[in-house]
Amino acid sequence: MDLPAVASAERSGERSAWLDGVNPVTKIVLALVLSVPLFASIDPVSALVAIGLQLLCLPLTGLPVRTVLLRMLPIIVFSPLAGISMLLYAEPEGRVYWQFGFAAVSEGSISLAIAVTLRVVALGLPTILLFGRTDPTELGDALSQVAHLPSRFVLGALAGTRMLGLFLDDWRTMALARRARGVGDSGAVRRFFSMAFVLLVFAVRRGTKLAMAMEARGFGSGIERTWSRPSRLHPRDAVALAGGIAIMVLAIAAAVVAGVFRFVWS
C-alpha cells in the first residue's frame, strides 16, 4: 500500500482498508467503468446485478454499512422521481392499466420505471464506495502527478474541497442559533430556504477571501510546482480496474442471458 494512504489512515484513527492503497486517479477511472456501461441498456437485471456485486465489495472499502446507507439515503429517496416520469410518459407497451391525457401506465412503462430507478442507484453507489475515505490531499497529489492536470486547477479544487466541511459546521451552527432564539421549531421548508440562502452568502464571501489569500501566496502563478508526497500507480490499481471491468461484464451478461438487455437507442 502507498505510504501516504497508510499515514492518512493512521492520522484519522481508522484502520487501513484495501481500497486505500488504490490511487485516486484509478478510482476516478474505476467510477467511470462502473457507470458508463450501464447507459448501454435500460433493464432492471444489469443494474440489480451491478448493485449486488458492488455491495459484495463493501469490506474492501473500509466503510461501515450504516455510513453507506446514510450517504445513499438521498439517492434512494429521489431516484423514484426519475422512475415516475418513465412510468407516466414512456411509450405504452403491452397491457395499459391506466391512461389520462398524455400519461399512461402500461406493462412496459412499469418495467422501464423500475429499471430507471435501479439504474440511478447503481450510478450513485460507486462514487460513495470509491471516494468515501479518499483524502482530498491525496486526490490533489494524484491529479497533478498521475493525471498531469495544471497545478492551479488542482490547488483550487483542493482548497474548495477542504471548505465543504466548514459548510456543514456553518449549517449546524445556524440551526443551533435559530433554535436558541426560538425560531427553529416550526416552518421547516421556510427555515431550510432561509438557511440555504445564508449559507450561499457565506460561501461567496469565504470563496472570495480564499481566492485572494491563495493569490497573495503565489498559488496563481504559472511556475512549475513540486509536491511533497509522491503519487504513483501500483499493481493494486490494475487489480481494481480488472475487478470493475469484471463487475460490468457480469452485469451486462446477466441481462443478456435473462433476455431483457435492450439498447437505449433501440
Side-chain angles (χ1 to χ4, degrees):
M1 178 181 295
D2 301 352
L3 291 179
V6 177
S8 177
E10 290 178 351
R11 284 194 303 269
S12 60
E14 298 176 349
R15 185 177 179 180
S16 178
W18 187 88
L19 197 63
D20 293 338
V22 177
N23 192 279
V25 170
T26 304
K27 294 180 181 180
I28 296 176
V29 177
L30 189 56
L32 295 176
V33 170
L34 294 172
S35 303
V36 173
L38 292 177
F39 289 103
S41 172
I42 300 181
D43 64 85
V45 175
S46 60
L48 196 59
V49 172
I51 293 173
L53 293 177
Q54 291 169 19
L55 290 178
L56 289 178
C57 299
L58 182 59
L60 301 178
T61 66
L63 293 172
V65 177
R66 183 176 181 273
T67 300
V68 175
L69 292 177
L70 289 177
R71 294 179 180 179
M72 282 295 298
L73 186 60
I75 300 177
I76 295 175
V77 170
F78 291 104
S79 59
L81 296 179
I84 291 175
S85 62
M86 292 296 175
L87 177 66
L88 297 177
Y89 301 108
E91 184 177 354
E93 295 181 2
R95 182 180 177 183
V96 177
Y97 298 101
W98 179 82
Q99 186 170 4
F100 180 78
F102 293 102
V105 178
S106 63
E107 292 180 351
S109 65
I110 293 175
S111 176
L112 189 61
I114 296 174
V116 170
T117 301
L118 291 174
R119 197 158 303 276
V120 172
V121 177
L123 292 174
L125 182 59
T127 303
I128 294 175
L129 295 181
L130 292 172
F131 298 100
R133 285 165 54 103
T134 301
D135 181 62
T137 303
E138 293 179 9
L139 179 59
D141 292 335
L143 291 176
S144 60
Q145 300 176 51
V146 178
H148 301 289
L149 294 180
S151 59
R152 186 170 184 175
F153 167 80
V154 172
L155 293 172
L158 176 60
T161 304
R162 289 294 189 186
M163 288 293 175
L164 293 178
L166 297 179
F167 293 152
L168 297 177
D169 294 337
D170 290 339
W171 187 272
R172 297 190 190 99
T173 302
M174 286 190 296
L176 293 175
R178 292 175 65 89
R179 178 162 294 183
R181 296 185 180 96
V183 294
D185 297 328
S186 61
V189 176
R190 183 177 60 183
R191 181 175 70 250
F192 172 82
F193 283 105
S194 63
M195 291 175 59
F197 178 76
V198 174
L199 190 65
L200 176 62
V201 174
F202 284 171
V204 172
R205 291 178 178 176
R206 186 174 288 138
T208 303
K209 293 180 180 178
L210 177 62
M212 294 177 61
M214 294 183 67
E215 191 72 23
R217 288 170 173 80
F219 285 104
S221 62
I223 62 175
E224 184 177 355
R225 296 191 171 274
T226 58
W227 307 89
S228 60
R229 301 192 304 181
S231 180
R232 301 290 184 270
L233 297 177
H234 296 86
R236 182 172 299 195
D237 298 285
V239 175
L241 282 177
I245 294 173
I247 290 176
M248 284 295 97
V249 169
L250 291 175
I252 300 298
V256 173
V257 172
V260 295
F261 184 85
R262 181 174 62 178
F263 284 104
V264 294
W265 54 81
S266 61

